[in-house]
Amino acid sequence: MMAILIALLAQTSPLLFTVGSGLRVDLTLLVVVYFSLFGSGERALVMGFLTGLCHDALSSEVLGLSALSKSLTAFVVHSLSRNVQGQSLIAQVLFTSLAVAVDTLARLVVMVVFQLHTLALPVVLSTFVQQLLLSVLLVPGVCYVLQLAVTPGHGRQDKRQSHGTL
């Protein structure tokens, strides 16, 4: 849950707004990819839903749109990555690409079905390509940092146990 909060804080930081509106990355989606690759199916779905719901609450979008798209993304990535080594850089890049595609398509389908917004195809494609490239570049670092955040307690515990036995 702490990873979601940090991603949301980083994503909504006023510092990022001064950089410009052109290049944005969905950090919460990268957190969903991490938990989908390395967590259980139930945990991935809950994290996807909570991440999307928090994202919706902080944005001016329709409440539930990101919750639906990130839940669907978590389900697809986790289902397809069950027999894949998540530590592999190639797997992280491929599943991040898949996640960006699923998230974007789910959002577009809901928008079209409910006629929420009319979007021009060139804008959608350029945003998708930018999101895809930035996500693919950042996912190895996000996975590494989250892995470090998860494993320090386990590493110290193992060291204590190994030194305590003679």
Side-chain angles (χ1 to χ4, degrees), residues 94-138:
L94 288 175
F95 285 109
T96 299
S97 301
L98 176 66
V100 171
V102 169
D103 187 61
T104 303
L105 286 174
R107 295 168 68 81
L108 286 175
V109 166
V110 169
M111 286 182 180
V112 168
V113 167
F114 292 108
Q115 299 175 350
L116 298 175
H117 300 287
T118 55
L119 300 170
L121 187 61
V123 172
V124 171
L125 287 177
S126 69
T127 304
F128 173 75
V129 170
Q130 288 177 1
Q131 176 78 12
L132 182 66
L133 291 175
L134 286 172
S135 297
V136 164
L137 288 174
L138 291 177

Side-chain angles (χ1 to χ4, degrees), residues 4 38 40 44 47 50 53-54 56 72 78 83-84 132 138:
I4 295 172
F38 297 105
S40 67
M47 292 301 276
L50 289 176
L53 196 59
C54 291
D56 286 336
L72 181 62
H78 180 74
N83 298 322
V84 175
L132 182 66
L138 291 177

Side-chain angles (χ1 to χ4, degrees), residues 36-37 41 75 77-85 95:
S36 298
L37 285 173
F75 173 76
V77 170
H78 180 74
S79 297
L80 295 177
S81 69
R82 285 185 193 171
N83 298 322
V84 175
Q85 177 64 25
F95 285 109

